[in-house]
């Protein structure tokens, strides 16, 4: 199987700094790539990161604020240069449809661009199939309509070679057993174990709300913004953002395995925000690993593990 990993292209909140570019996050997933929230300068960051533009099949935008989408024209032009004529689908909230279509028109790139508006609902809505995994989205709570994305691989089955041999099942009969659930008195569960599908989640600008935990529930890797420290909670709430403590609380409650913090206000040292989040994980007795993102980081999805028993 091809690598499943997150390539961080930018981590700044609202304004870039000397060491942090505007947003940009590329997910490599089974031979394809999905680009999330490409802010200004993403095209250049892709060159630094060695990202292959022609592999990008989808660009997913969480909302219409420009620090999350102004890089779209440059990315489309890079795609046209490296793989002319290739199709790409641009997803975003219905509220952002005209804005995203305008950015695609401005690019005047030789790529087949389809812009699709995603309904902003308080429930998950289907967005696309990504290499056999389901990409869905649901509404969050920002100053403009915003959505969080969730990519879920279907659960699978891992067979025990010894159990199959003992049951006298081999060759095409293995597939038949998997399809039918029972064969010659042997049940599927007698010779196999359930393999949970992996989950990736992406949450950008939002206030703390129950939807955050829903989007990241049981995620192997979840990207969450943490624009502010919790001492500035009032400011975070008024501007429609999360604090590092709130991001960590949501991740622990949802059973996230690896939490990637990003979208940092330049008023903070991001490592301080990381410490705030790790303190929360420890205080809650959670097992979530906290990664403070830096530009050009590559964060692999952790190896498969049983899902948590976090209540829905």
């Amino acid at each position: 199987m091809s690598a499943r990993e997150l390539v961080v292209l930018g981590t700044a909140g609202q304004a870039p700094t000397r060491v942090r570019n505007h947003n940009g996050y590329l997910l490599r997933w089974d031979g394809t790539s999905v680009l999330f929230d490409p802010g200004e300068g993403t095209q250049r960051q892709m060159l630094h990161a060695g990202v292959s533009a022609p592999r990008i099949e989808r660009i997913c935008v969480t909302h219409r604020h420009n620090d999350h989408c102004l890089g779209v024209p440059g990315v489309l032009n890079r795609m046209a240069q490296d793989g002319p004529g290739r199709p790409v689908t641009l997803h975003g909230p219905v509220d952002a449809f005209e804005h995203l279509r305008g950015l695609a028109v401005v690019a005047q790139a030789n790529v087949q661009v389809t812009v699709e508006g995603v309904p902003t609902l308080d429930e998950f809505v289907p967005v696309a199939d990504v290499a056999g995994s389901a990409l869905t989205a649901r509404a969050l709570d920002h100053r403009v309509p915003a959505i969080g994305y969730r990519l879920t691989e279907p659960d699978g089955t891992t067979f025990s070679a010894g159990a199959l041999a003992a049951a006298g099942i081999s060759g095409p009969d293995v597939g038949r057993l998997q399809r039918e659930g029972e064969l010659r008195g042997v049940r599927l569960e007698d010779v196999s174990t359930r393999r949970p599908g992996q989950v990736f989640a992406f949450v950008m600008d939002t206030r703390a709300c129950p939807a955050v935990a829903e989007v990241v529930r049981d995620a192997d890797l979840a990207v969450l913004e943490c624009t502010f420290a919790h001492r500035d909670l009032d400011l975070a709430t008024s501007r429609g953002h999360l604090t590092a403590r709130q991001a960590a609380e949501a991740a622990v409650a949802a059973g996230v395995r690896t939490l990637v913090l990003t979208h940092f206000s330049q008023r903070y040292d991001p490592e301080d925000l990381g410490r705030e989040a790790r303190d929360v994980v420890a205080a809650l007795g959670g097992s979530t690993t906290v990664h403070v993102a830096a530009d050009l980081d590559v964060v692999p999805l952790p190896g498969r593990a049983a899902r948590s028993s976090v209540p829905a």
Side-chain angles (χ1 to χ4, degrees):
M1 180 180 292
S2 300
R4 291 180 176 178
E5 60 188 15
L6 178 75
V7 182
V8 179
L9 301 172
T11 56
Q14 187 176 22
T17 70
R18 292 180 183 273
V19 296
R20 295 185 179 272
N21 199 71
H22 264 153
N23 287 288
Y25 310 88
L26 182 120
L27 178 68
R28 291 183 172 129
W29 188 273
D30 294 0
T32 188
S33 295
V34 181
L35 180 63
F36 292 89
D37 277 11
E40 183 181 358
T42 296
Q43 177 187 184
R44 186 168 184 270
Q45 294 293 92
M46 288 166 58
L47 293 174
H48 284 301
V51 167
S52 174
R55 286 189 179 272
I56 299 173
E57 296 185 1
R58 300 185 185 278
I59 301 174
C60 296
V61 172
T62 58
H63 63 292
R64 58 178 163 82
H65 284 160
N66 282 331
D67 57 324
H68 294 260
C69 62
L70 203 57
V72 166
V75 170
L76 293 179
N77 275 284
R78 170 57 56 180
M79 295 178 69
Q81 177 177 320
D82 295 348
R86 292 179 62 89
V88 61
T89 304
L90 180 54
H91 303 280
V94 170
D95 171 79
F97 178 84
E98 292 298 334
H99 190 61
L100 296 178
R101 186 167 65 175
L103 291 173
V105 169
V106 165
Q108 296 184 334
N110 181 22
V111 290
Q112 302 174 38
V113 184
T114 301
V115 182
E116 293 187 356
V118 179
T120 310
L121 303 177
D122 291 327
E123 61 186 49
F124 285 99
V125 297
V127 176
D129 179 280
V130 177
S133 297
L135 181 65
T136 57
R138 66 148 298 155
L140 297 173
D141 181 15
H142 192 41
R143 303 194 309 275
V144 299
I147 54 177
Y149 290 96
R150 178 179 175 88
L151 184 62
T152 306
E153 177 189 31
D155 291 342
T157 301
T158 299
F159 284 99
S160 166
L164 286 172
I169 296 176
S170 62
D173 282 346
V174 176
R176 182 180 170 190
L177 174 61
Q178 187 167 17
R179 291 190 302 272
E180 299 179 5
E182 186 173 345
L183 180 66
R184 299 194 296 271
V186 178
R187 299 173 304 168
L188 179 62
E189 56 265 33
D190 295 333
V191 294
S192 68
T193 56
R194 173 176 165 270
R195 186 191 70 224
Q198 290 190 307
V199 177
F200 170 81
F202 187 80
V203 171
M204 277 295 113
D205 299 13
T206 182
R207 298 177 180 88
C209 60
V212 174
E214 292 178 23
V215 173
V216 305
R217 186 165 304 283
D218 284 327
D220 296 279
L221 184 67
V223 180
L224 272 78
E225 67 115 328
C226 67
T227 310
F228 293 95
H230 204 71
R231 65 177 181 268
D232 295 318
L233 175 61
D234 289 345
L235 189 58
T237 302
S238 67
R239 296 190 179 180
H241 288 287
L242 295 173
T243 68
R245 180 190 299 182
Q246 289 173 325
E249 289 172 342
V252 171
V256 171
R257 297 180 64 200
T258 298
L259 167 63
V260 177
L261 296 176
T262 187
H263 197 273
F264 309 116
S265 168
Q266 57 188 306
R267 73 186 65 201
Y268 308 107
D269 179 343
E271 291 302 326
D272 291 339
L273 298 177
R275 279 189 288 272
E276 179 173 288
R278 292 187 184 102
D279 287 346
V280 169
V281 173
L284 295 176
S287 59
T288 301
T289 298
V290 176
H291 180 95
V292 179
D295 287 26
L296 307 183
D297 277 355
V298 177
V299 186
L301 264 76
R304 295 182 184 279
R307 294 270 177 84
S308 70
S309 57
V310 176

